[in-house]
Amino acid sequence: MTGGAPGKGMNNMDLKGRSFLKLLDFTQDEISGLLDLASRLKLLKIAGTAHRYCEGKNIALIFEKTSTRTRCSFEVAAYDLGMHAVYLDPSSSQIGKKESIRDTARVLGRMFDGIQYRGYGQNIVEELAEYSGVPVWNGLTNEFHPTQILADFMTIKERFGSLRGIKLVYMGDSRYNMANSLMAGCAKMGMHLTLCAPENYFPDKDLAARCALIAKESGASIEFVTDPMAASRGADVIYTDVWVSMGEPDSVWEERINDLRPYAVTKEIMQNANMGAVFMHCLPSFHDLNTSVGAAIYERFGLEYMEVSDEVFESPQSIVFDEAENRMHTIKAVMAATLM
């Protein structure tokens, strides 16, 4: 049995042909519509009801940065929707090397119905969208990670019933894609975001100002706090990420550990938050010594965990694996909404 097509019967959006590059491009109603569609698709998945709305379509998955969750989410979601996905790793494509981004976009746009890009500058995914003629989806760039935020918001909504008024505290390096995307998403959805970091780890001032204007219209708020206990007080969600991003040199570890160690999420931080507060992380996480990186950091610095303690990561407050699963459902919603 196949569920009804995700058109007017499942949502009131008209996103066909749109690219999904950053949340700043979408209205609150459109983001809500994608979350509602993801919830409906999740129910179909759980029920075992086929929903091959994109039967016969083909998509390209360009990965200049590797990933477990992003790749698996796109491939399983594509299969569930009846599509064929072609994975292109750095050795499988000439993008940006022997062939320009513009030319690659025009080639792939003739062969595929949609393109996912996970890699470096936001300008790359923007150029792919400009010249391909098909929907392009941002699986991660240095500046934004919109599919992750959709999954985060779906998970928060499942736990609390609503997004509006939720206080989310992000602990750690706030200069890159996760903090940028949380600012954009929380501002759009009427949430209260606190970025907690040393002052020199706060985000770009122009982007922060743009998000502050959006927050003023939606009833959201964005604040920047350096004291972890002050920031976490009254929080509904405590969120963190790794301290060194993919592609950064190992030489930055010592500086990041020295600067960000006070911002690790511990039992004391979670106890300082609201009763019923949850812990979230976009993964992977260095919460123990069961990775080669974690073991190397222990040997070098004596740390048994980095951005979050194992006690918190494995606690009932942790909803990181609900969050990880919801990557698949929200990515499926984005592809279905923009291709149908």
Side-chain angles (χ1 to χ4, degrees):
M1 178 180 178
T2 301
K8 296 298 182 181
M10 297 191 76
N11 61 81
N12 295 315
M13 299 178 295
D14 183 12
L15 300 182
K16 184 175 181 180
R18 292 268 300 274
S19 288
F20 188 74
L21 308 180
K22 57 186 183 296
L23 291 178
L24 291 171
D25 299 334
F26 291 81
T27 67
Q28 183 180 110
D29 286 344
E30 288 169 340
I31 295 170
S32 293
L34 287 169
L35 294 174
D36 290 344
L37 178 56
S39 296
R40 292 172 182 266
L41 292 170
K42 184 174 182 176
L43 290 176
L44 292 176
K45 176 79 170 178
I46 291 171
T49 302
H51 42 285
R52 300 174 68 84
Y53 304 136
C54 302
E55 187 80 53
K57 293 187 182 295
N58 296 282
I59 63 170
L61 306 177
I62 302 173
F63 278 74
E64 293 193 300
K65 289 184 179 181
T66 57
S67 169
T68 300
R69 278 150 300 282
T70 302
R71 178 178 177 179
C72 292
S73 294
F74 269 100
E75 289 194 355
V76 173
Y79 177 83
D80 285 352
L81 291 170
M83 295 191 288
H84 175 64
V86 175
Y87 176 76
L88 299 172
D89 64 21
S91 65
S92 303
S93 169
Q94 296 299 333
I95 185 169
K97 297 188 281 285
K98 293 183 179 179
E99 188 167 58
S100 68
I101 306 301
R102 183 181 304 187
D103 289 354
T104 299
R106 289 183 287 190
V107 169
L108 296 182
R110 299 290 186 99
M111 300 178 182
F112 294 96
D113 300 289
I115 301 168
Q116 184 271 170
Y117 174 81
R118 178 183 172 92
Y120 296 96
Q122 181 72 14
N123 61 300
I124 297 174
V125 76
E126 299 275 355
E127 192 169 1
L128 284 171
E130 181 179 357
Y131 289 98
S132 67
V134 298
V136 173
W137 311 298
N138 181 357
L140 174 142
T141 62
N142 293 340
E143 293 85 357
F144 293 106
H145 197 359
T147 59
Q148 178 65 54
I149 304 306
L150 276 189
D152 297 339
F153 285 1
M154 180 180 183
T155 310
I156 293 169
K157 192 174 180 182
E158 288 175 341
R159 179 56 65 104
F160 294 100
S162 175
L163 295 176
R164 182 166 292 279
I166 291 292
K167 180 179 178 180
L168 189 154
V169 177
Y170 180 83
M171 309 279 290
D173 195 338
S174 300
R175 297 173 295 177
Y176 302 122
N177 49 28
M178 281 307 303
N180 290 346
S181 295
L182 282 168
M183 278 199 305
C186 289
K188 291 277 184 176
M189 303 310 291
M191 300 166 67
H192 303 301
L193 174 67
T194 299
L195 297 175
C196 183
E199 286 188 6
N200 57 321
Y201 283 81
F202 286 151
D204 176 77
K205 291 182 178 180
D206 290 340
L207 178 61
R210 181 179 177 186
C211 291
L213 289 175
I214 297 169
K216 189 174 182 180
E217 295 179 0
S218 71
S221 64
I222 301 172
E223 63 175 349
F224 308 96
V225 178
T226 58
D227 181 350
M229 295 304 285
S232 58
R233 191 172 300 118
D236 300 301
V237 179
I238 303 290
Y239 199 124
T240 193
D241 191 9
V242 294
W243 293 338
V244 176
S245 299
M246 187 181 300
E248 292 190 281
D250 289 343
S251 59
V252 304
W253 272 112
E254 183 171 4
E255 178 185 42
R256 298 289 169 79
I257 287 171
N258 288 336
D259 291 346
L260 298 176
R261 184 63 178 164
Y263 298 87
V265 180
T266 61
K267 180 180 178 180
E268 290 70 31
I269 291 290
M270 296 305 300
Q271 289 176 335
N272 194 48
N274 277 342
M275 184 175 295
V278 297
F279 169 73
M280 300 181 74
H281 192 304
C282 52
L283 302 182
S285 169
F286 297 122
H287 60 95
D288 56 24
L289 303 181
N290 295 328
T291 63
S292 59
V293 173
I297 293 297
Y298 176 76
E299 288 295 321
R300 186 176 173 189
F301 299 102
L303 300 181
E304 294 185 356
Y305 63 86
M306 282 179 272
E307 74 277 2
V308 57
S309 70
D310 193 57
E311 182 179 29
V312 170
F313 189 89
E314 297 292 356
S315 74
Q317 290 176 286
S318 175
I319 56 174
V320 298
F321 297 110
D322 296 333
E323 188 183 358
E325 177 194 341
N326 284 337
R327 290 292 305 282
M328 175 182 63
H329 303 301
T330 48
I331 282 170
K332 189 185 296 182
V334 168
M335 291 196 296
T338 56
L339 289 175
M340 295 300 297

